[in-house]
Amino acid sequence: MSNATLKKILNAYGMVFILIALFLALSASIDGFFSARTVWSIIEQVSMFGIIAIGVTFAIITTGIDLSSGSMVAMTSVVAASIVTGGDAVSSALLAFAISIALGALLGAINGGLTAFGSIPPFIATLGMMIIARGGAQLYSSGRPIDASSEAFTWISDVDFFGLPGLVLVYIVIVIGSHILLSRSTFGRHVYAVGGNLNAAKICGINTTKTLIWVYVFAGALSGLVGALLAARTYAGNPSYGLAWELDAIAAAVIGGVSLSGGIGTIPMCVIGALIIGTTNKGLNMLGVDPYWQQIIKGLIIVVAVLIDTLKRRRKAS
């Protein structure tokens, strides 16, 4: 095998090899880690911020960012819980999911509008939304959890489909649908074009404003879905949900090879990035590592991932 071929394989699948090596290393260090139960546990934990990471991936590919996703999860979780508490079982459960997704999409549309029409940098627009949504969640719930213990609502987190937990199945469906949307649709091609070269995309006749808005609407809708799913999983909506989840989502995308310079990234590799974070979290917890050290380790992983991305872009430029 030539060096050029080896480099291509490592560039394309390097993170997959890292995930496998990490899992095997933890399996050798922790009794019982190497099991199907551990794998499903990791995937189920990843499913929450992993869905958010997919929306963040779309935003980063357009050279944007979304810092508001975690706060949107908190906001939509308390709204969903309040609807479940005050209505008929099945109809209120469906309404809770629908309104949660719609609210997330609306907040995402505001992010996209501020970026596309107001020319406000995505970092600032979504940072503002992060603060607003978190404050809105606190205000709406009076700073307290809201009960959501309705069987019709929590069913999705309790049920198994052929051995697959409901939340994992939802994650898989979202991953497949998002991959098709990004890699096989006209919208996906427009997303890459906007991230690759905004001016060139405009010259080619792409409605860049519309594309940017829909990217953030999509990211917001996914955050709204996660808010409802988390409320169903924990039997409550809580204004403290989603703290720092946007950082895990961004880390998953960047570790998975989504370039912060835009135009590069895939959904499958975003999933690999999320699994690396989930496996690391699971392993550190089982090893009894102090939570403060876990934060430090996670921060170092993000820095290293960004550094690798920067070095790759420098090599390509030279």
Side-chain angles (χ1 to χ4, degrees):
M1 183 182 295
S2 66
N3 289 335
T5 303
L6 182 60
K7 285 182 179 179
K8 286 183 180 179
I9 293 175
L10 290 177
N11 283 335
Y13 303 106
M15 287 302 165
V16 177
F17 298 143
I18 289 175
L19 174 61
I20 294 172
L22 176 63
F23 186 82
L24 292 177
L26 290 172
S27 297
S29 305
I30 304 171
D31 291 335
F33 191 86
F34 190 85
S35 66
R37 180 179 180 181
T38 299
V39 172
W40 287 127
S41 174
I42 291 171
I43 296 176
E44 190 167 13
Q45 290 177 14
V46 162
S47 63
M48 295 290 94
F49 76 84
I51 293 175
I52 295 175
I54 291 172
V56 170
T57 294
F58 275 75
I60 294 177
I61 289 175
T62 64
T63 68
I65 201 76
D66 188 357
L67 299 176
S68 62
S69 52
S71 296
M72 285 189 193
V73 168
M75 180 68 182
T76 54
S77 76
V78 295
V79 170
S82 68
I83 294 170
V84 171
T85 301
D88 177 68
V90 176
S91 61
S92 63
L94 294 174
L95 184 62
F97 272 96
I99 290 182
S100 184
I101 294 170
L103 177 58
L106 175 62
L107 298 178
I110 295 173
N111 283 337
L114 291 173
T115 300
F117 290 114
S119 298
I120 297 175
F123 181 90
I124 300 300
T126 60
L127 177 63
M129 181 58 73
M130 177 182 75
I131 299 170
I132 292 169
R134 183 68 63 182
Q138 295 282 357
L139 184 65
Y140 186 86
S141 64
S142 299
R144 296 190 297 271
I146 299 177
D147 178 68
S149 54
S150 163
E151 287 189 13
F153 182 64
T154 60
W155 169 83
I156 189 63
S157 66
D158 297 330
V159 71
D160 282 353
F161 295 94
F162 306 105
L164 283 177
L167 295 178
V168 172
L169 184 62
V170 171
Y171 181 43
I172 292 172
V173 170
I174 296 295
V175 166
I176 294 173
S178 300
H179 174 60
I180 293 172
L181 179 64
L182 187 59
S183 63
R184 297 286 186 271
S185 71
T186 300
F187 174 70
R189 289 192 292 272
H190 289 178
V191 170
Y192 281 115
V194 169
N197 190 314
L198 182 62
N199 291 328
K202 290 179 179 178
I203 293 172
C204 291
I206 295 174
N207 189 332
T208 57
T209 298
K210 181 179 178 181
T211 300
L212 283 172
I213 291 175
W214 276 110
V215 162
Y216 285 96
V217 166
F218 181 66
L222 291 182
S223 295
L225 172 62
V226 171
L229 288 173
L230 188 57
R233 183 184 186 186
T234 60
Y235 290 59
N238 195 314
S240 66
Y241 282 165
L243 283 172
W245 277 25
E246 59 276 352
L247 300 183
D248 283 343
I250 293 170
V254 174
I255 291 171
V258 182
S259 176
L260 292 172
S261 61
I264 298 173
T266 65
I267 299 303
M269 292 310 296
C270 171
V271 173
I272 295 299
L275 289 174
I276 288 174
I277 292 177
T279 302
T280 302
N281 288 340
K282 183 73 172 179
L284 293 177
N285 284 332
M286 292 182 72
L287 286 170
V289 176
D290 189 292
Y292 300 128
W293 276 108
Q294 292 188 32
Q295 292 298 318
I296 292 172
I297 293 170
K298 192 180 298 183
L300 290 173
I301 291 173
I302 296 172
V303 171
V304 170
V306 174
L307 179 60
I308 292 173
D309 175 58
T310 302
L311 294 175
K312 282 183 180 178
R313 284 189 281 114
R314 285 181 180 175
R315 281 199 297 267
K316 287 180 179 179
S318 59

